[in-house]
Amino acid sequence: MKVFSLKLKIFLNSLASPSRPIKSFIFAFLGILFMTGIYLWLKRIFTYIVNVPFFGEAILIRFLSILIFISGGIAVLSTVISATATIYTSDELKMLLPLPLSSDEIFLAKMFEAFIYADWMIFLLSIVVAFAWRSIYEIGVFEILFCGISLVFFIFAMSSIGVFLSNILAFLFPTRKIRDFSVVIFAILFGGIFFYMKALEPEFLLKANAFENFLEYLTHLKFSGTLLSPFRWLAMLFIEISKGNFSDAFVLFLVLFLFFLFFFSLSFFFGSKTFLSTTTRINARGAGAGIYQAKLPGKKEKIFMWREKVLFLRNSEQVSQVAILLILITIYLVSVWRAPVWDIPSVKNLLTFLNIGGVCLILSATALRFIFTSICLEGRGLWIIFSSPILPEKILKLKFYYFLKYMGVSGFILGILSGVCWKASFEVVLITAVITLISSLTITSLAFYFALSYPVYSTTNISRMESSYGGVLFMISSVFYIVFVLAVLAYPALWYFTGVLFRGAVERKFTLIFFAGFFLISLGIVLFLFRRGVKIFTSRWHRNLFIAHQ
Amino acid sequence: MIEVRGLSHSFGEICALDNVSFQVHPAEVVSILGPNGAGKTTLLNILAGILLPDKGEVFLNGIDVLKNPYQAKKITAYIPEQPYLWGKLTGLEFLLFIKKVYKSEIGIEKIGEIMKEFDIYDYRNSLIETYSHGIRQKLLFLTIPIINPKVILLDEPLVGLDPKATIKVIDLIKEFSQKQSSVFISTHIVSFAEKVSSKVLIIDEGKIILEGNISEIKQKHASTLEEIFLKETQKNE
Ligand SMILES: Nc1ncnc2c1ncn2[C@@H]1O[C@H](COP(=O)(O)OP(=O)(O)O)[C@@H](O)[C@H]1O
Ligand SMILES: [Mg+2]
């Protein structure tokens, strides 16, 4: 309890001093806009499903089960990914461990911290779902609270599973050697994804160009019909309580609570028993570090980028993340590949086009994970750069080019690969690749800008950097950018798919203008954001030194 | 040569430095003494060109740090208080990095030699994250002979050092002051200041409250430096 109140106090203190009120306001505004979009979309689907004669409710349960399944999956995965850093390697432990607290208590607090960090997004979005839900069932505050509490238990049960998995990982592989760690993460991910493909058959969804097909998909699914699945329990609980069947809902709640209790205790007992020994083993640094041979480049500027690469490649956490990312991309491509191919080429090409959005989202997630955090990770070592006879602007510029290079190449390759997987025509693949290339540059500069404006230096925990103010702001703005790209390109796409493009000269001219406009706007964004970001960063650093040298 | 004129800086409400002026001549070692929070680290950060002050001027060997930081940093070695180093580099890699960045002429054999002198040669190929605090500190001191600076800025240099390393550090300071470098040290350890420096400044709450030659000050007040320090810094409370 002492640890909890301490953490709560730290959190409240950080809330009490919002440093940039106007920006917080914009942030809140964008967030609300984003949530409103989801709200409207959900509302439409809910009302549509409920109004299906006879089967409405059954389909609703399935739809809810899928939503819940996805949220649960995200809860498990994000907990696995972030829990080790939160529980075993956080800097805070140096302060907490010497205090007269039992290790059980510290572990419990750390476990909840991991829960909150992994799940806050889900809880935020579930508020939106609740609002949309109210458009089909008139429910009161009590019911909503009841559903909310059940959801919290469910999600925490999933996160307990995540903590349990990461405890076992940390217990088995405390040395954090690149190989061991990523192999296990590989295995877990592959298992999870295999299950996901088997259970949800997402490629079936691709057939759905109308709600009828979507309904067919839901009916088709056998998985969510299983009586013994916690996803279904929660979905049924929501429906029963919305219809006013409190006794049924209460039974379901008890079942869910027991489910939670089981996994929570399992995870807590295993974790708290092994907490101290694992922490010492994980943080032990010793002779086993190995011998590294120094091979440095000659030029003064190049050496900073050499440092960038070395620090990255020797960090097992980073390398295992690259592995995860590669797996996710493969899955994306495979599911595209397995998608039913239709004989109508225009539909195929249209999908390739929408695919740009998907590729851009992958690129945004990559930028968040590697570019945003790279600037945050510089934090405590920045004094070296700022006291060296080198212009910090120059280093930032080199860093920017370095990321532009990698992101541009990834964007181009991803565009081509996904186009090829869609079996689209040559021109469309090429156009897609060029667009994803340009978008990847813009996304890079967005990540750079937000990292320079809102860096997180107070922690080395990467998932905390990602879910920070700047990180979330970056994700939101990059989603807006992607929507903008798709909107700008909608017209030329339409022309193309109605078969006019590449035939008439007039349309060709217009298309060229469109692409030139898109290109110029993107270029403008890239240059502007880079310059602004560097300026904000250096001036703020020089004025305040946002961190001590600790 | 370090020249500081009318330096003031505040962090929001907190006034960390208030109209500070002083000089450190070549071959001179000056210590700045002051209790925690007096503003020593802030002052050194400004001298190193890391922090921009609200007001005032700083010249290192005649180069304006605020207007021409690039040139000033070239001739300066700065060792902050408990600094963070990139843990995934090895000690040797870090020193070579510094050599490249400062375009130092020093040869790699010489670097090996000075590493042996400071007893950290055996650690040269292990990652810095495996080093203890003292070894990190020693590694940082080795950047001084590599940079071969005209100005040396040290912030609480003795924290975490064993007696043998302390002697090495004192030798290093003396060696460079003989080479006409200006050395400026922040510390709260009075005996260390007395041992290495000819002049002291006493700072409290951002103001320099006493300045002069150690022997002269002692004569004037007829007591030890320690007593003078305690007396002067308590006046303000
Ligand atoms: N980045 C900062 N933001 C706000 N206040 C700071 C910052 N750095 C130092 N201070 C304040 O400035 C004063 C001087 O600090 P410092 O120079 O670190 O003192 P010293 O090194 O002598 O112990 C202290 O009151 C400290 O709290
Ligand atoms: Mg200090």
Side-chain angles (χ1 to χ4, degrees):
Chain A
M1 278 305 114
K2 279 173 233 141
V3 186
F4 280 118
S5 58
L6 188 73
K7 298 226 101 178
L8 195 67
K9 225 176 259 168
I10 293 173
F11 178 69
L12 290 179
N13 275 348
S14 72
L15 277 191
S17 54
S19 41
R20 294 173 280 270
I22 298 169
K23 296 204 168 143
S24 314
F25 177 75
I26 296 174
F27 180 51
F29 178 73
L30 287 176
I32 288 171
L33 213 65
F34 183 65
M35 301 214 321
T36 315
I38 293 181
Y39 165 74
L40 292 174
W41 180 73
L42 271 178
K43 191 170 156 184
R44 221 178 125 208
I45 289 190
F46 280 158
T47 29
Y48 190 88
I49 294 178
V50 166
N51 290 330
V52 173
F54 308 116
F55 302 109
E57 189 175 294
I59 294 174
L60 195 61
I61 290 186
R62 296 198 163 180
F63 180 65
L64 267 185
S65 311
I66 292 177
L67 279 190
I68 292 165
F69 174 72
I70 293 173
S71 320
I74 291 175
V76 175
L77 255 182
S78 63
T79 317
V80 168
I81 289 172
S82 66
T84 316
T86 311
I87 297 177
Y88 294 111
T89 61
S90 88
D91 290 339
E92 236 171 39
L93 285 178
K94 284 196 201 103
M95 178 195 86
L96 286 178
L97 285 176
L99 295 179
L101 298 166
S102 74
S103 62
D104 286 3
E105 194 179 345
I106 298 180
F107 180 75
L108 194 65
K110 281 278 158 198
M111 194 165 156
F112 268 109
E113 194 185 341
F115 285 4
I116 300 291
Y117 271 106
D119 301 336
W120 68 272
M121 211 56 165
I122 297 176
F123 292 136
L124 205 65
L125 283 177
S126 68
I127 296 174
V128 179
V129 180
F131 268 106
W133 191 250
R134 283 196 56 162
S135 63
I136 50 169
Y137 286 109
E138 298 265 322
I139 50 172
V141 178
F142 169 76
E143 284 87 348
I144 288 185
L145 269 182
F146 191 82
C147 290
I149 292 170
S150 323
L151 179 76
V152 169
F153 277 126
F154 169 77
I155 293 290
F156 279 1
M158 291 321 232
S159 278
S160 302
I161 296 177
V163 167
F164 184 60
L165 287 177
S166 80
N167 281 343
I168 289 184
L169 275 186
F171 180 73
L172 293 179
F173 307 105
T175 47
R176 296 224 278 167
K177 278 209 191 102
I178 300 168
R179 253 170 299 123
D180 316 343
F181 214 65
S182 29
V183 162
V184 177
I185 290 183
F186 261 96
I188 289 180
L189 268 176
F190 263 126
I193 277 139
F194 182 74
F195 179 63
Y196 160 79
M197 297 293 247
K198 269 273 173 245
L200 283 186
E201 302 179 40
E203 68 266 19
F204 196 90
L205 260 186
L206 298 171
K207 279 188 193 147
N209 51 1
F211 274 129
E212 286 81 42
N213 292 24
F214 185 59
L215 294 183
E216 197 181 302
Y217 165 68
L218 288 177
T219 346
H220 162 88
L221 276 181
K222 285 173 227 82
F223 150 77
S224 58
T226 320
L227 264 177
L228 280 177
S229 104
F231 315 112
R232 193 184 160 86
W233 298 336
L234 191 62
M236 275 164 58
L237 185 146
F238 288 162
I239 296 214
E240 294 302 338
I241 198 154
S242 304
K243 294 198 312 195
N245 298 339
F246 287 104
S247 52
D248 290 357
F250 199 71
V251 173
L252 283 166
F253 176 78
L254 274 184
V255 173
L256 266 176
F257 183 71
L258 286 177
F259 176 72
F260 161 77
L261 210 61
F262 175 74
F263 280 106
F264 183 79
S265 343
L266 179 72
S267 166
F268 176 70
F269 283 117
F270 180 76
S272 59
K273 288 282 165 296
T274 55
F275 177 60
L276 274 186
S277 73
T278 308
T279 311
T280 27
R281 284 196 300 156
I282 271 196
N283 292 313
R285 299 160 173 158
I291 301 283
Y292 292 89
Q293 217 55 54
K295 241 188 264 131
L296 285 83
K299 267 180 88 181
K300 182 163 114 181
E301 274 75 29
K302 274 200 182 142
I303 198 158
F304 278 90
M305 289 303 107
W306 166 84
R307 169 206 64 125
E308 183 92 39
K309 276 183 208 159
V310 167
L311 294 186
F312 185 86
L313 290 177
R314 287 182 189 166
N315 189 340
S316 54
E317 216 180 319
Q318 301 281 42
V319 175
S320 61
Q321 289 290 323
V322 174
I324 291 176
L325 193 78
L326 286 180
I327 295 176
L328 289 179
I329 291 174
T330 318
I331 302 214
Y332 175 77
L333 291 178
V334 168
S335 50
V336 164
W337 182 258
R338 274 177 47 182
V341 188
W342 298 314
D343 299 328
I344 319 155
S346 70
V347 173
K348 217 164 59 186
N349 288 339
L350 179 69
L351 282 174
T352 328
F353 214 77
L354 290 179
N355 166 50
I356 291 173
V359 172
C360 287
L361 273 180
I362 294 181
L363 289 170
S364 307
T366 315
L368 177 66
R369 180 59 186 71
F370 296 108
I371 301 177
F372 188 86
T373 56
S374 149
I375 288 174
C376 299
L377 284 171
E378 289 276 16
R380 300 188 293 176
L382 274 176
W383 73 269
I384 304 174
I385 293 178
F386 275 88
S387 66
S388 299
I390 187 129
L391 294 174
E393 290 85 353
K394 193 156 189 181
I395 300 302
L396 289 175
K397 203 176 193 172
L398 286 173
K399 209 169 160 124
F400 187 53
Y401 290 154
Y402 173 80
F403 286 128
L404 273 187
K405 201 171 64 195
Y406 277 97
M407 286 290 285
V409 171
S410 324
F412 193 70
I413 291 178
L414 262 182
I416 288 189
L417 277 181
S418 58
V420 168
C421 285
W422 278 115
K423 305 170 191 81
S425 66
F426 177 72
E427 303 103 61
V428 170
V429 172
L430 200 68
I431 292 177
T432 308
V434 170
I435 293 169
T436 48
L437 167 68
I438 296 172
S439 309
S440 70
L441 304 185
T442 318
I443 289 168
T444 308
S445 67
L446 278 170
F448 217 71
Y449 173 77
F450 283 108
L452 291 177
S453 310
Y454 309 103
V456 185
Y457 292 145
S458 50
T459 175
T460 47
N461 183 340
I462 283 175
S463 55
R464 227 180 272 188
M465 293 172 187
E466 288 176 323
S467 59
S468 71
Y469 180 82
V472 175
L473 211 57
F474 160 68
M475 263 333 253
I476 292 177
S477 40
S478 103
V479 167
F480 273 98
Y481 174 75
I482 295 167
V483 171
F484 160 79
V485 169
L486 293 180
V488 166
L489 298 174
Y491 261 104
L494 194 70
W495 288 334
Y496 180 82
F497 300 125
T498 47
V500 236
L501 194 63
F502 298 113
R503 277 180 216 154
V506 182
E507 283 78 10
R508 186 174 292 169
K509 208 158 101 195
F510 269 114
T511 320
L512 273 180
I513 292 176
F514 261 106
F515 275 104
F518 162 65
F519 178 72
L520 285 179
I521 290 177
S522 295
L523 195 72
I525 297 178
V526 171
L527 288 179
F528 172 77
L529 287 181
F530 173 67
R531 296 235 174 102
R532 265 312 287 153
V534 169
K535 214 167 176 181
I536 291 176
F537 179 75
T538 43
S539 77
R540 195 167 320 141
W541 164 273
H542 277 311
R543 218 126 291 198
N544 213 337
L545 274 174
F546 349 48
I547 37 133
H549 289 315
Q550 185 38 299
Chain B
M1 179 79 184
I2 304 174
E3 284 175 273
V4 174
R5 294 190 207 130
L7 213 54
S8 298
H9 191 74
S10 33
F11 296 102
E13 302 276 278
I14 306 165
C15 178
L17 289 176
D18 188 4
N19 199 17
V20 170
S21 307
F22 63 90
Q23 291 186 348
V24 183
H25 297 288
E28 198 174 34
V29 180
V30 173
S31 292
I32 182 159
L33 282 166
N36 295 324
K40 304 183 294 291
T41 300
T42 309
L43 176 59
L44 281 165
N45 277 333
I46 295 174
L47 295 190
I50 291 181
L51 186 65
L52 293 181
D54 294 342
K55 242 173 48 199
E57 291 175 314
V58 181
F59 294 93
L60 302 181
N61 266 20
I63 304 166
D64 189 332
V65 175
L66 308 177
K67 295 215 177 88
N68 202 348
Y70 180 81
Q71 296 297 338
K73 286 171 188 174
K74 258 188 183 168
I75 54 160
T76 307
Y78 172 45
I79 300 185
E81 177 182 13
Q82 308 208 353
Y84 171 87
L85 292 174
W86 296 309
K88 298 283 178 195
L89 290 190
T90 67
L92 184 59
E93 283 170 345
F94 178 72
L95 292 182
L96 290 174
F97 174 86
I98 292 293
K99 168 182 145 69
K100 291 272 158 66
V101 169
Y102 284 83
K103 295 201 175 127
S104 166
E105 302 284 300
I106 196 168
I108 188 156
E109 298 79 23
K110 179 77 184 153
I111 292 182
E113 253 169 57
I114 53 177
M115 284 185 109
K116 272 182 200 147
E117 230 174 89
F118 270 70
D119 286 334
I120 59 170
Y121 187 71
D122 292 343
Y123 298 94
R124 69 190 183 286
N125 285 331
S126 351
L127 298 184
I128 293 177
E129 67 181 13
T130 65
Y131 290 9
S132 74
H133 177 74
I135 300 172
R136 277 176 212 222
Q137 201 72 5
K138 287 194 213 168
L139 184 71
L140 268 169
F141 276 108
L142 291 193
T143 61
I144 294 177
I146 294 177
I147 299 172
N148 195 12
K150 293 275 166 284
V151 172
I152 299 177
L153 307 169
L154 307 175
D155 197 356
E156 311 275 359
L158 291 195
V159 175
L161 286 187
D162 60 34
K164 196 176 161 199
T166 307
I167 293 170
K168 282 263 168 256
V169 168
I170 292 174
D171 285 350
L172 196 70
I173 292 171
K174 292 210 164 125
E175 180 194 332
F176 272 85
S177 109
Q178 268 157 25
K179 285 187 184 169
Q180 301 298 309
S181 300
S182 310
V183 186
F184 189 60
I185 305 170
S186 118
T187 182
H188 57 260
I189 305 170
V190 179
S191 59
F192 172 64
E194 222 174 332
K195 201 181 249 161
V196 293
S197 47
S198 45
K199 222 172 104 180
V200 287
L201 309 173
I202 296 181
I203 186 173
D204 194 20
E205 296 181 0
K207 284 196 193 71
I208 294 193
I209 49 178
L210 194 74
E211 178 178 2
N213 265 335
I214 294 183
S215 46
E216 282 173 23
I217 293 179
K218 278 207 253 180
Q219 250 169 25
K220 211 166 90 191
H221 289 75
S223 60
T224 66
L225 194 57
E226 196 122 32
E227 278 164 357
I228 299 170
F229 175 65
L230 287 175
K231 215 172 79 198
E232 289 296 329
T233 53
Q234 262 157 16
K235 267 186 200 162
N236 288 356
E237 276 159 22

